[in-house]
Structure formats: C-alpha cells, structure tokens
C-alpha cells in the first residue's frame, strides 16, 4: 500500500511508536461472504497507516504459491500480524515448523464466528461510512441485508445425517428455538450432560464444526419469522442478499427483492435507508457488523437483543432491540419508528456519535495495538 503523506502521528493519539516506522501485515487468507474479508483487511490497513505504521496487505488463497507469499516475510520483525478467520494458523513448512513461528511478531486472528480457543479478546468489527453519503428517503419500508435459505431444506439435511450427529443437531435446534440467546457451545454442553455423556476438548470441537447446520437453521428460521411478522403487519420489506427467492412469500406485494452487492457497496444502500433490520441469533453473545454499519450511516438498526448488545449499546438510544422470544415486539417497534420520525432521527444521531467514538476502524486498530503492549 502507498503511504499517505499527511497523517496524525500515532504518538499524538496516545501510543508511542519508534522514529522508524514499525511494520504491520494485514492478511486476507480466505474469502468470506460478499468478499468481506478483503474489505475488512483493507479497512484495517488504512487505519494502521493513518496511525503512522508501514503497512502491507497480503491477500492470497490456496491456489497461490505459498512459498512465494511467505518467504519474503521470514526473519522480518513486525509490530503485529492480522488475519480474518485465518487459514495461516494451520500452515506448516515441510519440516513441520508452523509458518507463524518463522515470522517475528504477535499474530491476531479476527475470528468472526465461533471462537473456541484458549484466549480471546471480544472486539466487534468496525464499520465505514458510505463514500457518496446518503440522502434519506422517508419511506415506509424496512431494509434487510443478508443471506437466506429455506430452513425446512436445512432441517431435511439434518435428518439425513448419521447418528449421533442427527440426534444432537435436532435437540440443539429445539433448545435454541426455545432460547434464542443460548450459545451453541453452552447448548451442546447442556445436551451432553442430559445424555450423561462427556467429550474431550478435541472431539467437542469436531462436533461443533460438524454441527454447523444448526447455526444455519437457527439463522434462517428466525430470519423467516422476522420477515413473516413484518409482512403480517403489512410493513414493506426490502430484501438484499442471496437466496431470498427461496422465501415462501417472495412474491408478496410488500416484498421488494434486490440482488446482493459486494460488501463495500452495502454501505451505499444502508446510507439511503431510514431503518434496517438485523436478525442474527447465531451472534447470540456478540454483534453482527451490520449493526455498526447502520450506526455509521445514520440508519436506525432494529436488532434482536442479546446479553452482549445489552452491555455495549443502549436500547432506544443507539439501536432499538426486539425479542425473538416475543416476535410481535418487532412489528410494534417497526411501526413506532416509521410513524415517529423525531424518534428515528434521535436514534440515528445518537448512534452515529457512538460509532465515531468507539466503532471506527481506527478505534479497532488502536485496540489491537494496545494488546501488543501488555
């Protein structure tokens, strides 16, 4: 990346750097949905550069010559190394030496789904403001940006799984439908205890990975329930993302479907919307990045609540939270936002202020850098 000639020095922002610029590498070792990994990597790289570091973005996949990717990095000293849902942690040389052991610097894997590792720092992703800015349209529609699949089809796949996987997954689905904020790991531990079973950590992790269809089912079961509820109340929906042609009310006159866009363009759509729905029961003790994308772009986020969001955001001040256990609260709050424009604007302004204070990419970069000083 080219360095920016004018930027505030990192020391001015509260963390000292050496007179000679320290080096940082931001990797993108795998692509995530809607090309978001590359977007996140470049946003973080820009933030580190703005803080006065010499930053290199390294994007690759399994088809690239990995020797050519990593050999130039060996023996170099770095302030930190960063990747997203990294594949690098499993890479080894021919002699069995882990690749990361040959690069001098602390490595951070920004895990975007289920971390089960010895030490984690819970840190939401940052967000970006739309490049073009957004002219708000006071329409009666709710924007939802995200993927959908038919939950019945996912359940059929679960039913075809071998035992004991099938029984475990069906029981986990029942538990998580009953309690939408129950974490997958905790639910599985409860299930094993009820069966009088125990698993060593390595097998537990393998089962967690194999039971991904549970997360997929829960995601789409509640996304369907949320959209169904808004349509029941005759609130127009604008659905942007893969798979919505599979929704059984896709031709409803209150539904407008749009093709998905790459991640970087999603902010433009959010910037032109007044209210955006979030349904992320698989982030039941975390926060989906679309929440901060809404806050960054003056769009009220109507989100399912969970204990983590209760801690970091204020209901009816930064976002508006509904309950998946009582889905009727969703349509009640949606109608309130669409008919009470002063409340809508107040939440948008408060949320934007909170975003600028805590959830910019620069703030995320400073949090990671602070970890290297511990």
């Amino acid at each position: 990346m080219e360095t920016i000639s004018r930027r505030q020095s990192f020391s001015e922002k509260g963390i000292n750097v050496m007179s000679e610029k320290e080096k940082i590498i931001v990797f993108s070792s795998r692509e995530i949905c809607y090309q978001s990994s590359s977007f996140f990597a470049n946003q973080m790289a820009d933030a580190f550069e703005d803080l006065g570091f010499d930053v290199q973005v390294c994007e690759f996949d399994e088809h690239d010559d990995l020797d050519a990717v990593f050999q130039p990095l060996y023996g170099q000293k770095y302030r930190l190394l960063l990747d997203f849902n990294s594949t690098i942690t499993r890479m080894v040389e021919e002699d069995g030496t882990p690749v990361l052991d040959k690069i001098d610097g602390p490595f951070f894997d920004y895990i975007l789904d289920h971390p089960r590792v010895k030490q984690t720092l819970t840190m939401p992703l940052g967000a970006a403001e739309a490049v073009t800015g957004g002219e708000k349209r006071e329409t009666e529609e709710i924007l939802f940006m995200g993927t959908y699949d038919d939950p019945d089809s996912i359940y059929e796949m679960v039913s075809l799984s071998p035992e004991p996987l099938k029984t475990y997954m069906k029981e986990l689905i029942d538990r998580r439908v009953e309690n939408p904020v129950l974490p997958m790991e905790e639910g599985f531990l409860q299930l094993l205890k009820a069966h009088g079973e125990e698993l060593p950590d390595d097998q537990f992790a393998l089962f967690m990975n194999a039971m991904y269809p549970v997360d997929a089912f829960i995601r789409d079961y509640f996304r369907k329930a949320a959209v169904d509820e808004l349509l029941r109340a005759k609130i127009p929906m604008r659905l942007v993302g893969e798979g919505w042609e599979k929704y059984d009310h896709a031709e409803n006159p209150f539904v407008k479907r749009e093709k998905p866009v790459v991640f970087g363009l999603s902010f433009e759509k959010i910037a032109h919307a007044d209210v955006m729905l979030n349904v992320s029961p698989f982030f039941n003790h975390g926060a989906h990045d679309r929440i901060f994308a809404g806050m960054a772009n003056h769009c009220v986020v109507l989100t399912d609540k969970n204990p983590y969001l209760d801690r970091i955001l204020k209901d009816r001040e930064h976002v508006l939270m509904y309950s998946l256990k009582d889905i009727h609260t969703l349509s009640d709050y949606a109608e309130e936002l669409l008919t009470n424009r002063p409340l809508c604007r107040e939440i948008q302004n408060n949320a934007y202020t909170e975003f600028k204070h805590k959830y910019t990419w620069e703030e995320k970069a400073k949090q990671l850098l602070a970890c290297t000083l511990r």
Side-chain angles (χ1 to χ4, degrees):
M1 299 183 65
E2 294 180 359
T3 51
I4 301 171
S5 57
R6 297 186 63 184
R7 61 168 70 89
Q8 187 178 1
S9 72
F10 199 29
S11 57
E12 291 176 287
K13 300 193 178 191
I15 300 179
N16 294 321
V17 296
M18 301 179 345
S19 56
E20 182 180 345
K21 287 183 179 179
E22 295 178 291
K23 296 178 180 179
I24 288 175
I25 296 184
V26 184
F27 294 99
S28 176
S29 65
R30 66 191 300 174
E31 203 41 85
I32 312 171
C33 57
Y34 305 115
Q35 300 178 17
S36 54
S37 175
S38 177
F39 179 84
F40 296 148
N42 282 280
Q43 290 293 305
M44 285 297 290
D46 287 346
F48 286 129
E49 276 198 339
D50 287 343
L51 293 171
F53 290 86
D54 181 2
V55 186
Q56 176 184 351
V57 175
C58 182
E59 300 188 44
F60 65 91
D61 59 31
E62 68 274 12
H63 303 297
D64 290 320
D65 181 349
L66 298 183
D67 283 338
V69 171
F70 286 104
Q71 285 294 336
L73 311 181
Y74 292 164
Q76 302 268 2
K77 184 175 180 60
Y78 296 94
R79 175 64 177 270
L80 67 80
L81 315 163
L82 175 66
D83 196 7
F84 299 83
N85 282 13
S86 185
T87 62
I88 303 172
T89 53
R90 300 190 297 272
M91 293 181 181
V92 296
E93 292 287 317
E94 289 183 2
D95 63 0
T97 304
V99 163
L100 287 173
D101 284 1
K102 303 185 75 171
I103 308 175
D104 186 1
F107 177 77
F108 292 85
D109 186 2
Y110 218 139
I111 302 174
L112 307 181
D113 29 47
H114 278 297
R116 186 170 176 81
V117 293
K118 291 183 178 179
Q119 186 173 4
T120 62
L121 165 70
T122 301
M123 187 177 81
L125 287 162
E129 297 180 54
V131 174
T132 60
E135 181 180 341
K136 295 297 178 187
R137 300 175 300 190
E138 290 196 356
T139 65
E140 300 302 312
E141 69 181 17
I142 304 286
L143 171 67
F144 179 73
M145 302 196 67
T147 302
Y148 178 77
D149 199 358
D150 174 30
D152 291 339
S153 298
I154 299 171
Y155 200 83
E156 287 179 17
M157 183 172 63
V158 168
S159 299
L160 294 173
S161 299
E163 294 289 5
L165 206 56
K166 177 171 72 174
T167 295
Y168 286 165
M169 287 196 287
K170 286 188 173 183
E171 289 190 28
L172 267 175
I173 285 172
D174 290 343
R175 287 172 183 267
R176 293 183 63 189
V177 166
E178 176 64 25
N179 182 5
V181 298
L182 177 68
M184 180 81 160
E185 296 86 345
E186 185 178 330
F188 190 33
L189 287 170
Q190 291 177 5
L191 183 157
L192 291 171
K193 185 176 181 180
H195 283 245
E197 300 174 13
E198 288 186 26
L199 289 174
D201 285 348
D202 57 344
Q203 288 188 32
F204 187 96
L206 288 172
F207 269 102
M208 284 291 298
N209 189 58
M211 293 190 296
Y212 173 76
V214 174
D215 257 347
F217 177 89
I218 292 298
R219 178 195 71 178
D220 294 310
Y221 174 88
F222 282 112
R223 286 186 177 176
K224 181 181 187 308
V227 176
D228 283 351
E229 172 61 20
L230 291 172
L231 294 182
R232 182 199 63 78
K234 294 183 168 54
I235 296 174
M237 290 294 303
R238 185 174 164 218
L239 306 174
V240 183
E242 297 278 3
W244 284 102
E245 70 281 356
K246 302 174 187 176
Y247 176 57
D248 53 11
H249 301 297
E251 303 307 320
N252 186 299
F254 287 93
V255 170
K256 182 190 299 181
R257 287 187 287 125
E258 296 182 17
K259 293 180 180 180
V261 295
V262 295
F263 196 84
L265 294 180
S266 64
F267 301 102
E268 308 298 323
K269 291 186 178 290
I270 294 169
H272 289 88
D274 245 356
V275 181
M276 179 170 63
L277 174 67
N278 180 56
V279 191
S280 298
F282 50 101
F283 280 76
N284 40 34
H285 281 244
H288 195 284
D289 54 85
R290 78 170 60 86
I291 293 175
F292 307 108
M295 294 170 66
N297 288 284
H298 297 274
C299 182
V300 177
V301 180
L302 186 52
T303 181
D304 51 317
K305 62 172 64 177
N306 69 51
Y308 181 74
L309 291 180
D310 282 337
R311 290 200 305 274
I312 69 167
L313 297 173
K314 293 181 180 178
D315 190 18
R316 302 186 71 84
E317 183 174 335
H318 303 136
V319 295
L320 199 55
M321 300 186 197
Y322 65 92
S323 169
L324 289 173
K325 284 275 285 185
D326 183 9
I327 200 66
H328 294 304
T329 58
L330 171 58
S331 55
D332 292 342
Y333 292 150
E335 287 178 343
E336 182 181 10
L337 286 172
L338 294 173
T339 56
N340 187 345
R341 296 297 175 175
L343 173 63
C344 198
R345 295 288 173 259
E346 181 182 352
I347 295 175
Q348 288 169 351
N349 292 334
N350 290 337
Y352 181 75
T353 300
E354 185 74 356
F355 156 74
K356 294 295 284 186
H357 180 56
K358 294 181 180 178
Y359 300 108
T360 63
W361 288 108
E362 184 173 301
E363 287 302 315
K364 302 297 111 180
K366 288 163 73 172
Q367 282 182 263
L368 286 176
L369 288 161
C371 290
T372 68
L373 301 177
R374 293 176 182 175

